[in-house]
Amino acid sequence: MLKDSPAYSGFSSNDIAKAKEFYSQTLGLEVSEDNGMLTLKLGGGQTVLIYPKDDHAPATYTTLNFPVKDIDAAVDDLTSRGIEFERYGEGFDQDERGVVRGSGPPIAWFKDPAGNILSVIQE
């Protein structure tokens, strides 16, 4: 019944206006707004719904991964747009830019204005 459904995921934000500015202007994604919710249009035709939630609590896991060809170029570009990459403690072998290398594909995490965790991950 659901195998042909064009499913999508979603997560909350405590400020839809800030989320719209961040995802459209800072990250450069195509964003539409309808009924107080945002739809992110991602590469490959996928979409993600961002909905308002007054008692929003940031996700403690990665809500959205952005595959990239060159993680260093992606980190440089995002840093130039004002993104600060997360630094995690023990167990995360991160370089000076916040990229974890060697235990899987290179990955770096950052947060949206609502505190949700996003990443760039090298393909």
Side-chain angles (χ1 to χ4, degrees):
M1 175 175 132
L2 297 179
K3 76 175 189 129
D4 294 322
S5 176
Y8 58 92
S9 66
F11 53 89
S12 67
S13 175
N14 57 356
D15 190 325
I16 292 296
K18 280 185 183 175
K20 184 175 185 179
E21 179 180 351
F22 176 79
Y23 285 98
S24 65
Q25 294 179 19
T26 304
L27 298 187
L29 302 177
E30 185 178 339
V31 178
S32 61
E33 185 172 2
D34 192 32
N35 295 317
M37 297 181 282
L38 303 178
T39 299
L40 308 181
K41 295 179 181 154
L42 307 174
Q46 292 88 346
T47 60
V48 172
L49 179 72
I50 301 178
Y51 55 91
K53 188 173 181 195
D54 291 335
D55 63 345
H56 165 77
T60 58
Y61 54 87
T62 308
T63 59
L64 192 55
N65 295 288
F66 292 96
V68 296
K69 297 276 186 215
D70 181 341
I71 196 156
D72 294 312
V75 168
D76 287 346
D77 180 56
L78 291 170
T79 300
S80 75
R81 296 169 186 241
I83 299 292
E84 293 182 16
F85 285 87
E86 295 299 301
R87 306 289 182 187
Y88 297 108
E90 284 294 313
F92 287 89
D93 187 18
Q94 290 177 283
D95 66 17
E96 68 281 353
R97 302 160 80 194
V99 178
V100 174
R101 302 174 194 270
S103 60
I107 186 169
W109 295 273
F110 59 101
K111 293 182 179 177
D112 75 0
N116 295 309
I117 302 169
L118 313 173
S119 82
V120 286
I121 183 167
Q122 188 164 302
E123 296 181 307

